[in-house]
Amino acid sequence: MTPPMDEPQSSSPSATPLGEKLRQRRKAMKLTLQQVADEAGFTAGFISQIERGITVPSLTSLVSVCRVLDADIGSFLSQPKNATPITRHSDRRIYGLSGDDKNAVRYERLSASFPGNVLRSTIIHEPPGYRSEPMAHEGEEIFYIISGALTIEIEGTHTILEAGDTAHFPSTMTHTTWNHTTGNTVIFHTCTMDVFGDGDDPDASDRNLIITRAAKRADGANG
């Protein structure tokens, strides 16, 4: 029988930290750091840093770890639900995987939750210097830079995206991002991986990498 889960993480100071909850779940399933790392596609060092609170994973990385732990992401993180198709910027809750730490990556959920939905959209607020862990998973995703700039690496190729630029690629390609600037970068991000724990994950999609430039789009051409 699968071990029961504790209550999801909240932003309360007394709440059990995300890393500790993951460690407790791993121990309950009698898995080693290396086993979790191998199955999730990361290093044992990275998993250890998450458990010790040294590193905060991205939403997609957390989903990958949760799958190995046979648990829904909602067991560890309380995320907002959008039952209606419209969101207002003044009403959206900004949240992060490290509670109320404003120096960490924070998210605003945009996509609604309804049966059969496959698009998961967020606005991501990345602080200066933040670098995501390299990852590859099912589905596809789009980055649109609202403000600031972002370095995106896809299969070893680095590209700097500035405000108005986009990247669209199969998530099965190994990718990572880095806010190389000295200010916050705001990103509109859409993917087909179930980062909210709303339902079943869609099949992977084979599509070509597309990067567009704001200036080029204005002229009706992609660069």
Side-chain angles (χ1 to χ4, degrees), residues 6-25 51 75-77 97-99:
D6 294 329
E7 291 298 315
Q9 173 189 346
S10 73
S11 58
S12 170
S14 61
T16 303
L18 171 65
E20 177 60 22
K21 282 185 172 291
L22 292 170
R23 188 190 71 82
Q24 291 174 1
R25 179 63 175 175
E51 290 188 354
S75 302
F76 301 99
L77 178 68
L97 276 66
S98 58

Side-chain angles (χ1 to χ4, degrees), residues 31-89:
L31 295 174
T32 66
L33 286 169
Q34 192 63 59
Q35 287 174 319
V36 174
D38 290 343
E39 290 294 324
F42 301 119
T43 65
F46 176 67
I47 302 299
S48 176
Q49 288 180 345
I50 294 175
E51 290 188 354
R52 290 182 289 156
I54 298 174
T55 295
V56 178
S58 64
L59 277 176
T60 50
S61 295
L62 179 57
V63 170
S64 296
V65 173
C66 287
R67 287 175 176 174
V68 179
L69 299 179
D70 193 23
D72 187 270
I73 188 172
S75 302
F76 301 99
L77 178 68
S78 176
Q79 299 189 81
K81 296 275 188 181
N82 291 336
T84 62
I86 306 298
T87 70
R88 303 291 184 184
H89 73 278

Side-chain angles (χ1 to χ4, degrees), residues 121-152:
S121 299
T122 57
I123 292 178
I124 304 175
H125 302 261
E126 284 198 8
Y130 173 80
R131 185 190 297 265
S132 70
E133 55 282 1
M135 68 190 84
H137 49 86
E138 81 286 344
E140 59 182 298
E141 56 196 283
I142 298 175
F143 286 80
Y144 173 85
I145 310 304
I146 298 175
S147 63
L150 188 75
T151 295
I152 186 167

Side-chain angles (χ1 to χ4, degrees), residues 42 46 58 60-61 124 126 129-137 141 143 145 150-161 167 169-180 187 189 209 211:
F42 301 119
F46 176 67
S58 64
T60 50
S61 295
I124 304 175
E126 284 198 8
Y130 173 80
R131 185 190 297 265
S132 70
E133 55 282 1
M135 68 190 84
H137 49 86
E141 56 196 283
F143 286 80
I145 310 304
L150 188 75
T151 295
I152 186 167
E153 178 183 339
I154 304 173
E155 294 292 349
T157 299
H158 294 76
T159 304
I160 294 178
L161 301 177
F169 56 94
S171 304
T172 50
M173 302 172 75
T174 301
H175 55 283
T176 184
T177 63
W178 172 42
N179 181 359
H180 60 274
I187 307 148
H189 179 254
L209 165 68
I211 292 178

